[in-house]
C-alpha cells in the first residue's frame, strides 16, 4: 500500500507540474514527500486511469479510494500512512549518495542494489 501511495504522490506532483513521462525522473524526491502529506487523499486520486496493467496496483488504488471516501477511521489510517511515507522518503533522501535526489536517482539506486521495481 505504501508503494502505491508513493506512486500516487509522485503522480500528483507530475500532474501539477505538467511533467511528461520523459521528465518524471527529474522530479525531486522532496516534492513527492511534501505531496504525501500536503495533498488531500482525494487530490492524490485525480487523473488516475480506471484500469491498471497490474491487477494488484488496481486493487490497492481501489482500496485507497474506498478509504479516502469512507472517512472516519479509514481516513485516519491514510493520514498515518502518509506520515510514514513522508518519513520514509525524507530518510531515503538524507541517506542518498546524491545531493537532492530525484525519482530517477531512487530508481537507479534500487536497480544497482538489485531491488525489484
Amino acid at each position: 500500500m505504501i508503494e502505491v501511495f508513493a506512486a500516487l504522490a509522485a503522480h500528483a506532483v507530475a500532474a501539477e507540474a505538467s511533467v511528461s513521462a520523459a521528465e518524471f525522473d527529474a522530479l525531486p524526491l522532496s516534492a513527492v514527500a511534501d505531496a504525501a502529506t500536503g495533498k488531500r487523499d482525494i487530490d492524490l486520486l485525480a487523473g488516475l486511469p480506471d484500469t491498471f496493467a497490474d491487477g494488484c496496483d488496481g486493487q490497492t488504488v481501489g482500496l485507497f479510494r474506498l478509504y479516502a471516501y469512507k472517512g472516519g477511521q479509514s481516513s485516519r489510517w491514510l493520514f498515518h500512512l502518509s506520515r510514514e511515507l513522508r518519513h520514509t522518503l525524507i530518510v531515503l533522501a538524507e541517506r542518498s549518495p546524491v545531493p537532492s535526489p530525484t525519482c530517477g536517482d531512487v530508481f537507479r539506486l534500487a536497480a544497482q542494489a538489485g531491488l525489484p521495481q
Side-chain angles (χ1 to χ4, degrees):
M1 181 83 173
I2 199 162
E3 178 182 343
V4 170
F5 203 141
L8 290 172
H11 177 268
V13 172
E16 191 172 282
S18 300
V19 171
S20 69
E23 300 168 315
F24 182 81
D25 280 358
L27 283 179
L29 196 58
S30 60
V32 176
D34 290 342
T37 56
K39 297 205 174 281
R40 296 179 316 151
D41 304 334
I42 295 168
D43 293 337
L44 294 175
L45 295 168
L48 289 179
D50 291 330
T51 59
F52 295 84
D54 183 321
C56 185
D57 287 348
Q59 261 187 327
T60 306
V61 169
L63 182 63
F64 189 96
R65 278 189 175 115
L66 176 68
Y67 283 2
Y69 291 112
K70 189 174 179 183
Q73 189 67 15
S74 299
S75 287
R76 288 181 59 186
W77 186 80
L78 286 179
F79 172 77
H80 290 296
L81 188 59
S82 73
R83 303 296 297 168
E84 288 297 319
L85 173 58
R86 179 178 169 73
H87 176 74
T88 301
L89 293 175
I90 288 171
V91 168
L92 186 61
E94 288 173 351
R95 294 183 181 173
S96 172
V98 179
S100 302
T102 64
C103 290
D105 294 328
V106 171
F107 288 129
R108 280 187 288 286
L109 290 170
Q112 288 171 359
L115 298 173
Q117 295 184 26

